[in-house]
Amino acid sequence: MGGDGGTEEELTAQETALYDRQIRVWGVDAQKRLSKAHVLVCGVNGTTIEFCKNIVLAGVGSLSLMDDHIVTEDDLSANFLIPHDVCMQGVSSRAEACCESLKDFNPMVRVAVAIGDPSLIDEGFVDRFDIIVVSCASLKTKLFLNDNCRKRSKHIAFYSVECKDSCGEIFVDLQNHSYLQKPGGEPEQQELTYASLQEAISVPWKNLPKKTTKLYYATRVLESYELSEGRDPGETGLSDLPAVLAWRKDMCDRMSLSESQIPTALLERLLAAGKKEHPPVCAILGGILGQEVIKSISCKGDPIKNFFYYDAADGKGIMEDIPPTPVEQFA
């Protein structure tokens, strides 16, 4: 969180006893920072609930859940915190259905439901938080929230995460981040400057390394197509494949990239997934995201910069550092 958060308040005896094991791993100072951090999660699904579980157990100060969508049977496939009877009643939102269960994981963490629409959040509301995590939201909403985080005088870290069946993407924007690294045993102060989401997805493809993962390109094609159609993530299916392939060709022609870098088979997999999440992949993504947020708050350890991709087809996790493009290149 930039390395300047105050940690003068001592942990209580109850906190010290409860978090004894992890204090031995990352230290008292890191635990103090965690206990002061306020996290907002916009979009409650299988992936973000895995993340929520991890940071609640770690002892974050507070967690707010924003998702007004009413629980449906589809939510039960990946979200392990939603009781089946809640789904049958059809009256609880996803956030409400998970709130009480998360409190049970750690009564010392304040967990609450935040009513509202992520695309309409005002700046005053954003100021309440140190970390904002977004999922199952349109690209327009993600850009809006990321921009709001960057406009604030306080440092607010932004993350987005999406799981499409066996594939997943995490985006991280820590703006200007200071942290401690121990390359040879002695701590060294490190500085990182991050691109915004808009900057990261606007880099001309011809400027990216040849080894850039195909999932990066495929994700950009789908989100660009969904944005053009006014659809939310997962609302595009296999019936849209011809239109998506035409969109891919247009983007590749404009970006001077071979269409072979975005295999049709990969696009078919992503389209077939729709809104479905694969629980094991949710656990992997939620675990990594939880680890990254803890590193950001504690200012210890090398963070992801700035994309992470996972594909269960080969079991590989890949980090992609997509640099910001100079302003003149956007013109």
Side-chain angles (χ1 to χ4, degrees):
M1 290 164 52
D4 56 357
T7 57
E8 64 278 359
E9 292 183 17
E10 296 300 318
L11 295 173
T12 65
Q14 186 180 5
E15 287 174 320
T16 302
L18 180 62
Y19 304 129
D20 175 66
R21 285 180 141 186
Q22 57 205 49
I23 287 173
R24 297 185 194 192
V25 174
W26 54 55
V28 174
D29 183 66
Q31 192 63 48
K32 288 180 185 178
R33 290 177 184 273
L34 273 171
S35 69
K36 296 174 184 296
H38 305 292
V39 179
L40 171 66
V41 172
C42 300
V44 177
N45 54 24
T47 302
T48 55
I49 214 63
E50 289 279 359
F51 161 73
C52 291
K53 173 200 70 177
N54 293 331
I55 62 166
V56 165
L57 289 173
V60 73
S62 72
L63 171 67
S64 297
L65 306 175
M66 179 177 284
D67 193 327
D68 296 343
H69 292 90
I70 299 299
V71 171
T72 67
E73 195 166 350
D74 290 341
D75 294 313
L76 299 177
S77 63
N79 191 330
F80 66 91
L81 279 189
I82 298 179
H84 190 267
D85 60 336
V86 170
C87 172
M88 293 299 100
Q89 293 168 9
V91 295
S92 296
S93 70
R94 292 172 186 161
E96 291 168 336
C98 297
C99 185
E100 292 304 315
S101 296
L102 282 169
K103 290 179 181 178
D104 292 339
F105 278 110
N106 188 347
M108 297 187 70
V109 175
R110 300 183 300 279
V111 183
V113 173
I115 305 296
D117 182 344
S119 67
L120 301 175
I121 288 177
D122 61 41
E123 295 173 345
F125 184 77
V126 169
D127 274 339
R128 301 181 194 176
F129 304 97
D130 305 293
I131 306 282
I132 292 182
V133 176
V134 186
S135 189
C136 43
S138 68
L139 175 60
K140 182 179 179 181
T141 296
K142 292 176 183 176
L143 292 171
F144 166 75
L145 288 172
N146 186 209
D147 186 53
N148 258 352
C149 289
R150 284 182 156 255
K151 286 179 177 177
R152 311 315 299 148
S153 57
K154 68 178 287 189
H155 184 280
I156 304 174
F158 174 87
Y159 298 81
S160 71
V161 60
E162 297 295 344
C163 177
K164 281 186 170 291
D165 195 24
S166 60
C167 298
E169 176 191 71
I170 295 173
F171 171 77
V172 181
D173 178 14
L174 304 184
Q175 302 179 43
N176 297 307
H177 181 62
S178 303
Y179 66 100
L180 289 178
Q181 183 189 57
K182 292 185 178 181
E186 282 298 317
E188 292 182 6
Q189 190 78 12
Q190 303 290 331
E191 305 283 339
L192 284 177
T193 299
Y194 281 73
S196 69
L197 179 58
Q198 180 66 73
E199 290 170 330
I201 66 174
S202 300
V203 175
W205 289 354
K206 63 182 179 181
N207 294 351
L208 297 178
K210 290 183 178 179
K211 62 180 180 63
T212 300
T213 178
K214 293 176 172 58
L215 260 176
Y216 170 82
Y217 297 119
T219 303
R220 302 289 78 78
V221 168
L222 284 186
E223 71 184 7
S224 174
Y225 177 78
E226 288 170 341
L227 183 64
S228 72
E229 296 289 314
R231 302 182 191 181
D232 287 331
E235 291 183 353
T236 305
L238 274 175
S239 61
D240 296 292
L241 181 60
V244 170
L245 292 180
W247 197 263
R248 174 189 66 179
K249 182 181 187 308
D250 180 63
M251 289 188 72
C252 286
D253 288 346
R254 287 188 286 109
M255 295 283 198
S256 301
L257 184 75
S258 169
E259 288 185 66
S260 64
Q261 289 295 104
I262 316 174
T264 299
L266 177 56
L267 288 173
E268 287 179 334
R269 283 175 57 204
L270 297 175
L271 287 170
K275 295 183 179 181
K276 186 172 69 173
E277 298 175 287
H278 190 40
V281 177
C282 293
I284 291 170
L285 293 172
I288 291 171
L289 183 57
Q291 172 183 284
E292 289 303 310
V293 166
I294 289 171
K295 284 193 286 186
S296 167
I297 294 170
S298 65
C299 300
K300 290 185 177 181
D302 293 309
I304 288 175
K305 184 175 183 292
N306 45 3
F307 285 98
F308 174 84
Y309 292 92
Y310 179 79
D311 189 345
D314 57 19
K316 291 181 180 178
I318 299 173
M319 285 190 289
E320 295 286 2
D321 181 4
I322 309 296
T325 301
V327 173
E328 63 268 15
Q329 292 190 32
F330 289 119

